[in-house]
Amino acid sequence: MATNVGAAPKWPRSWETHDYNCICLKQASHDFTQQASLHGLRYISDTSISRLERWFWMIACLVAGSFAVHFIVNMCYDWVTSPVILTLSPQTTDLKDIPFPAVTICNINKVRKSVALDILNRSTIWSASIERKLLNDYCHRPQDPRDVSINENEIPWATVQEFLFKVSQNCSKMMVACFWRGEKFNCNKLFAPSLTDDGFCCAFNVVKKEYLFNNAGWTGLNHTVPFDSVDWTMEKGYPEGTPPYTLPWRPWGPGSHKGLKVVLDAELDEFFCSTEVSVGFKLAVHNPKETPKMKAYASTVQPGHETRVVVEPAIWTSSREQLQNVPLDKRNCLFHNEKSLAFYRTYSFRNCMLECETNNTLQSCGCVFFYMSRDESVKVCGRNESKCALKALNSMASVDDGDPYTSLEGENFTKGCGCIPGCFSLTYRKRLSTTILNDKASFIPKNIMGGKNSTYFSKNMAIVNVYFAEAHFTSIHRALLYTVTDFLANTGGLLGLFMGFSFLTAVEAFYFLTLRIWCFVVRNRQIPDVEPSMRP
């Protein structure tokens, strides 16, 4: 009887279904190993070679498959446990796209001597006694026995605020000359009084408080500026069509001639008290929508010296479309609409921590420090509560050993605050260099002397230059470690490297295990039964 070579065997339908299905699967598996595109697979069922050779290829395929599975499992583990990757952005950030940093300057001397002596030498009337008590508290001096009867908790905040402003060096006396973008400005227009943890300071390029706080009527850290402001955020940037002279101002370019130049007067003869052992000024550069912590992070500026502050922005951006569905504990950042602060309008890690410090101090001591954001119903901590408040504040700076969390911006924080870095953030790094001022009047420009002689100038004054050194900066970008395309490409690359697997290989497997078997069964069911003696 003639046979059709290569044709599929045809078995009678009278055979048991179980045996028949086994034969179908065996035939389909044999055809797959012989005809599929996987490397080395056809040698396993090739009867023309020895059994030893078939075992060799079987082991080789198993080893290759094991390696492929191992690396794919490792890739999946990284994708699940650490789905976010930090990379350098392929596009640089131009200076015009970010604001010039806010610059806050404080005199290390907290109280002017002439004002302090005037308070101490007054007769003991009620108002003078309140000021004397506040002065002794502010300078950590022993209390006057005549002021023991005064209850510090009954002193209105308006009186305290007026006292702080009265005894501190105001901006018109601190700022002798100001130059912005090479043009001389009235310092009172560029700098505004700002209440910080180091008392009243002078702030440049800080937005109006209605863009800084949720409620502009809250006391603490309040200031006024004479220029228009816009609601700039790092995530949204400047609104379209923002005029150039709108806060926060943008830099015009790199170089000291396009930055900020300020001539400061330390008034050393007015020194009365300070928490520091030095004299001069404190300087901080910070985000225009954040409030600085002058005591902890400000740099010092020495009188009789010129200081150059070269600023470099630290820019963090994120792919919102990729990361918004990633859990917070995996991406470790917050978008602006994912967490609202009670006091600050714009979320940032530093604003969140400042608000958390305020809440922690209030909860622990029933009061807050004078510089903290609060409403009128919250009491300001006096001398009696200062120890408790300092303890509560210092507890925020440490990390609980059982619950360590570390910020991507280099600061420690506790889980209870819920503060994690913003997915879009902007901070400023600074490099300082100093040189001694010339004491020869003939070499000093008249427009920066402020009507002082050269001896006073070289002893009391300081010149500060704040500027960018580069026109473009590289930002750090958060994105998914693997997108779906990346995952498929990496998986296919590993399978192709070890096994020669491709998309068409999967199609082949599907074909041989489904369509090929179905066609095989349908074709053989159309053949009539034969006698058992004709079975192969």
Side-chain angles (χ1 to χ4, degrees), residues 337-351:
N337 61 338
E338 291 182 325
K339 183 177 178 63
S340 298
L341 301 178
F343 296 107
Y344 293 96
R345 180 169 180 172
T346 302
Y347 177 85
S348 71
F349 174 78
R350 298 184 188 277
N351 285 346

Side-chain angles (χ1 to χ4, degrees), residues 10 74 156 175 199 217 227 258 324 348 407 411 439 450 475 498 501 517:
K10 301 176 181 179
N74 287 344
M175 309 290 173
F227 298 96
K258 293 185 178 180
Q324 60 184 355
S348 71
S407 158
E411 296 188 19
D439 59 354
S475 61
F498 289 101
F501 188 91
I517 293 178

Side-chain angles (χ1 to χ4, degrees), residues 196-216:
T196 71
D197 59 343
D198 225 18
F200 268 105
C201 302
C202 301
F204 166 81
N205 203 32
V206 178
V207 297
K208 289 184 177 180
K209 59 182 181 180
E210 52 262 34
Y211 292 118
L212 186 59
F213 300 106
N214 284 324
N215 187 341

Side-chain angles (χ1 to χ4, degrees), residues 436-457:
I436 300 175
L437 289 176
N438 198 320
D439 59 354
K440 304 298 182 182
S442 58
F443 292 96
I444 304 174
K446 298 300 181 182
N447 61 347
I448 67 173
M449 288 283 288
K452 308 294 184 179
N453 58 49
S454 59
T455 302
Y456 183 93
F457 182 86

Side-chain angles (χ1 to χ4, degrees), residues 141-163:
R141 291 159 50 93
Q143 279 292 345
D144 192 304
R146 294 172 293 181
D147 302 330
V148 175
S149 61
I150 300 177
N151 185 353
E152 59 184 10
N153 295 329
E154 295 180 357
I155 302 176
W157 164 244
T159 302
V160 178
Q161 191 174 27
E162 182 181 353
F163 164 80

Side-chain angles (χ1 to χ4, degrees), residues 278-295:
S278 58
V279 295
F281 306 92
K282 289 183 178 180
L283 179 144
V285 296
H286 55 95
N287 190 306
K289 301 199 77 173
E290 296 178 347
T291 53
K293 297 183 69 173
M294 302 301 295
K295 287 185 177 180

Side-chain angles (χ1 to χ4, degrees), residues 490-506:
N490 290 341
T491 303
L494 290 171
L495 291 173
L497 173 66
F498 289 101
M499 305 178 64
F501 188 91
S502 67
F503 176 76
L504 290 180
T505 305

